[in-house]
Amino acid sequence: MAVREQGRQIRKQQHKKRNLLDYSLICIIALLSCFGLLMLYSTTSYVDQIAHAGNQFYTVQKQLIFTSVAFIVMLIVSQIDYHIYRRMGKFMYPLSILLGILVLFFGKEVNGQRRWFAIGPISFQPAEFAKLTLIITLASLTTYAYRALKTYRILVIMAVLTLPIFLPVVSANLSSGIIIFGIALSMAFIASNKKFIFVLSMGLGIGACVLAFKTGFLEMVLDGYQMDRIYAWFDPVAYSSTNGFQTVQGLYAIGAGGLMGRGLGESVQKMGYLPEAQNDMIFSIICEELGLVGAILVMLLFILLIWRFMVIAVNTKDFFGFMLVIGIMAHIAIQVLLNVAVVTNTIPNTGVSLPFISYGGSSVLFLMVEIGIVLSVSREISLEH
């Protein structure tokens, strides 16, 4: 009887564990995803109607499929014990490096850059896989070398592990390289007890960038199109017919929106004037159609998402789970900040998508996988309470 009762309690505990989900986090993701689909339809319906024989739902239909599949994957991942990723990281790390190198030679070429593997209508960007791999790798390292967090040695090891992932990615995609660097820097800052080195490094890094630009060294390191983007950043109007065209059109959209916006679906810039309106520049369309009020509400949703990550992180039962959530939080926060900064011309145009809102299949899939991992961590916290 005692054994039978014990078995019943174990099954009850397992059933409870399977059903413990962070519904507040799921609601935030659902709101962002639904809003993204709405804005994507508004942004692409006019162009799709012309380009796809009157089918104004062409782009949003594809994204709806991507998002639905990704959402199901998120729920599946949320039921997996996140500790398994410590073992999986050993295989993901070399695979990420290999894919990053192979795409440089065998990837699909778009605008002179090889960033995707394409198999028929399906495309895959290794940079998205690299971001997730880096988060898992650095979380595993800091957990394994927990006692070394008080030394500078851990920072060196983290840098050494990041470089093989970072270099192939930044060679093909500067914006993804910046995000990977930002993830590594954020996780290292949180994990390490040597905070002063980050302040010093930031000051030296900014100084080095200014010096490199003034001396012309930056022109020797960066490609011509990358330097042109920097010049267009300083004076987008002067380059409005070339590299500053997208930025200027985006700023027109933001300015036209004013406080309350033109109204949903009433954007003028989406009618072929603003390149990549469904991808990197969709925040401009949000500002044009919904105004400053709509833009603030979107940013508040992202702030709420980051806050939820922070709550989960500080209540996590182990350091590995804590670092996983920190890495995922850093990834999404950095990507949102970079996208908004590019659209508002705060930084040079680097081509960064807005998470859960911009068009893209592999991007939304890996973002949902990351959310699934956070849900798995949150589930363990709920089980303890």
Side-chain angles (χ1 to χ4, degrees):
M1 290 292 293
V3 174
R4 186 178 300 174
E5 181 63 25
Q6 186 178 10
R8 189 181 296 113
Q9 289 297 326
I10 292 172
R11 286 192 298 272
K12 185 178 178 181
Q13 187 79 343
Q14 289 174 341
H15 178 75
K16 180 183 176 184
K17 186 175 180 178
R18 281 195 299 270
N19 288 281
L20 285 172
L21 285 175
D22 192 324
Y23 291 107
S24 58
L25 179 56
I26 293 175
C27 284
I28 296 169
I29 297 301
L31 280 171
L32 282 170
S33 299
C34 290
F35 176 76
L37 290 169
L38 177 65
M39 288 309 306
L40 191 62
Y41 169 71
S42 177
T43 302
T44 60
S45 58
Y46 174 80
V47 175
D48 281 351
Q49 195 166 15
I50 297 171
H52 300 285
N55 183 6
Q56 60 184 339
F57 298 100
Y58 179 81
T59 300
V60 77
Q61 279 176 338
K62 292 174 67 177
Q63 188 67 8
L64 177 59
I65 294 170
F66 293 148
T67 304
S68 300
V69 171
F71 200 85
I72 293 169
V73 171
M74 177 196 76
L75 294 176
I76 294 171
V77 172
S78 70
Q79 301 301 308
I80 300 172
D81 186 346
Y82 63 90
H83 295 96
I84 195 174
Y85 300 113
R86 289 189 66 177
R87 297 191 294 273
M88 289 178 60
K90 299 174 183 178
F91 305 101
M92 293 173 65
Y93 183 77
L95 179 60
S96 177
I97 297 170
L98 179 63
L99 290 174
I101 295 171
L102 288 177
V103 76
L104 298 176
F105 299 97
F106 305 106
K108 179 182 178 181
E109 187 171 338
V110 179
N111 297 326
Q113 297 293 321
R114 298 183 185 273
R115 300 175 181 176
W116 291 270
F117 287 118
I119 304 173
I122 300 173
S123 61
F124 163 69
Q125 194 169 6
E128 300 300 330
F129 180 68
K131 295 169 190 175
L132 177 60
T133 299
L134 180 67
I135 292 168
I136 292 172
T137 300
L138 295 186
S140 301
L141 168 68
T142 52
T143 305
Y144 177 77
Y146 185 79
R147 293 183 179 180
L149 298 181
K150 296 180 179 180
T151 68
Y152 288 108
R153 183 178 60 183
I154 192 68
L155 299 177
V156 175
I157 298 172
M158 292 179 82
V160 169
L161 284 176
T162 301
L163 280 176
I165 293 178
F166 169 78
L167 291 176
V169 171
V170 78
S171 300
N173 191 339
L174 179 62
S175 57
S176 291
I178 293 172
I179 293 170
I180 284 175
F181 175 78
I183 291 170
L185 189 66
S186 301
M187 294 183 73
F189 177 79
I190 295 298
S192 173
N193 290 339
K194 303 294 184 180
K195 307 297 185 187
F196 175 73
I197 191 69
F198 293 93
V199 178
L200 180 62
S201 298
M202 188 175 295
L204 291 174
I206 294 171
C209 288
V210 173
L211 183 63
F213 178 78
K214 292 292 186 181
T215 59
F217 179 74
L218 207 59
E219 294 185 13
M220 298 167 57
V221 176
L222 298 180
D223 292 332
Y225 80 93
Q226 292 171 337
M227 283 305 304
D228 288 340
R229 286 183 177 183
I230 293 176
Y231 292 131
W233 172 48
F234 289 137
D235 190 357
V237 176
Y239 291 83
S240 60
S241 61
T242 54
N243 291 282
F245 180 79
Q246 187 185 47
T247 300
V248 169
Q249 295 301 319
L251 292 174
Y252 283 161
I254 294 171
L259 182 64
M260 301 303 294
R262 294 179 184 269
L264 187 64
E266 299 299 320
S267 168
V268 174
Q269 293 302 109
K270 71 181 181 183
M271 297 182 180
Y273 296 103
L274 180 59
E276 298 297 328
Q278 76 279 14
N279 290 327
D280 311 335
M281 304 300 288
I282 198 168
F283 189 71
S284 294
I285 305 300
I286 293 171
C287 292
E288 185 182 6
E289 294 191 349
L290 304 180
L292 179 63
V293 172
I296 289 174
L297 290 175
V298 173
M299 295 309 297
L300 285 175
L301 266 180
F302 280 114
I303 290 171
L304 192 60
L305 178 63
I306 299 304
W307 169 80
R308 191 62 205 155
F309 285 156
M310 292 177 64
V311 171
I312 294 170
V314 297
N315 288 286
T316 304
K317 69 175 186 177
D318 61 6
F319 195 69
F320 178 65
F322 169 77
M323 289 303 297
L324 277 178
V325 178
I326 290 296
I328 293 167
M329 180 179 73
H331 172 203
I332 294 175
I334 290 167
Q335 197 155 323
V336 170
L337 287 173
L338 285 178
N339 178 270
V340 174
V342 165
V343 168
T344 56
N345 200 39
T346 307
I347 63 173
N349 194 327
T350 57
V352 182
S353 61
L354 188 60
F356 306 106
I357 296 177
S358 293
Y359 175 75
S362 59
S363 174
V364 73
L365 176 62
F366 280 99
L367 282 169
M368 289 295 191
V369 168
E370 290 182 8
I371 297 299
I373 293 172
V374 175
L375 286 170
S376 176
V377 176
S378 177
R379 191 162 51 90
E380 293 290 336
I381 299 170
S382 301
L383 187 63
E384 282 198 330
H385 297 288

